[in-house]
Every structure is written in structure tokens, then in C-alpha cells.
Amino acid sequence: MENKELQVFTFDQIKDEFIGTKETVNRQVYEQELQLEVLGDLIKKVRLERNLTQEQLGKLIGVQRAQISKLENNTTNVTLDTILKVFGALKAKVNFNVELQNDVVQIAV
């Protein structure tokens, strides 16, 4: 029986191969969608920790329950204003990192 060594790949190498390198449009779209999905999961997690229903959170920020559901399930475009309202209502601090080529600018809101 032949002894074959397994080859190990990083997650970035796999994404480069199957989605495209970081410079490609496909990869940028993938990364952006992934970040929005993580954001939706985070909103849901914090909402549940605060013992709020989607309807209650919606009332706190002036939107319908369906809008909160869409945010949590990443089925809608979301504005920065809405994100700030949601996390404000959840009493959560929001930090943003903006990357400008090789520089990183951090903004705490």
C-alpha cells in the first residue's frame, strides 16, 4: 500500500483557487456578502441576548418586524444608518475599520 502525504491548504488558498484572488470582483463580492451575513448573525445573537423579539427591536428603531428579519437573514441591502440604529437600540458599541491601501483608519461610533 502506498503511503501518500496529505497536502494542506489555507482557507485563503482555497478561496483564491475557487472564488478568485482578492483583486477580483468575484472575491470582493464574496467577502462583502460574507461580512453582511456575519453582521446579520451578530444582530440576531445580540437581540436574543437582550431578550427582544424581532418585532420589539423593530419598534425601537421604527421599522417593521419583517425588516429586522431581512437584516438578520441578509436578504436586504442595509444602510449604515440602520446598522447604527439597530446596535444603538441593542445598547451595543459599534466600531468600523476603513482600509485605505496600506493604512487603516478606525472609527468608534
Side-chain angles (χ1 to χ4, degrees):
M1 192 173 244
E2 193 174 319
N3 188 7
K4 292 184 179 181
E5 218 175 287
L6 291 178
Q7 190 171 2
V8 178
F9 297 96
T10 67
F11 190 48
D12 280 334
Q13 289 173 319
I14 293 169
K15 290 189 288 186
D16 287 349
E17 177 70 24
F18 294 100
I19 299 168
T21 61
K22 291 181 181 181
E23 298 80 27
T24 64
V25 173
N26 282 350
R27 177 70 171 268
Q28 291 170 359
V29 168
Y30 167 81
E31 297 291 348
Q32 187 176 35
E33 288 176 354
L34 181 61
Q35 290 171 352
L36 290 174
E37 188 171 326
V38 169
L39 182 64
D41 290 344
L42 184 58
I43 289 170
K44 182 176 183 176
K45 179 180 184 284
V46 175
R47 175 181 62 78
L48 293 173
E49 286 175 359
R50 303 288 194 265
N51 294 314
L52 292 171
T53 64
Q54 289 178 338
E55 185 173 354
Q56 290 168 325
L57 178 57
K59 285 181 181 179
L60 287 173
I61 65 168
V63 301
Q64 298 292 317
R65 181 206 62 79
Q67 181 67 21
I68 301 300
S69 176
K70 288 177 182 179
L71 282 172
E72 291 180 355
N73 294 300
N74 190 29
T75 58
T76 187
N77 289 330
V78 61
T79 65
L80 184 57
D81 185 51
T82 302
I83 292 169
L84 294 175
K85 284 180 183 178
V86 167
F87 284 110
L90 293 171
K91 296 178 175 51
K93 184 178 178 181
V94 177
N95 290 305
F96 291 96
N97 289 329
V98 178
E99 292 187 30
L100 305 171
Q101 295 195 359
N102 293 330
D103 300 324
V104 175
V105 179
Q106 293 187 333
I107 302 170
V109 181

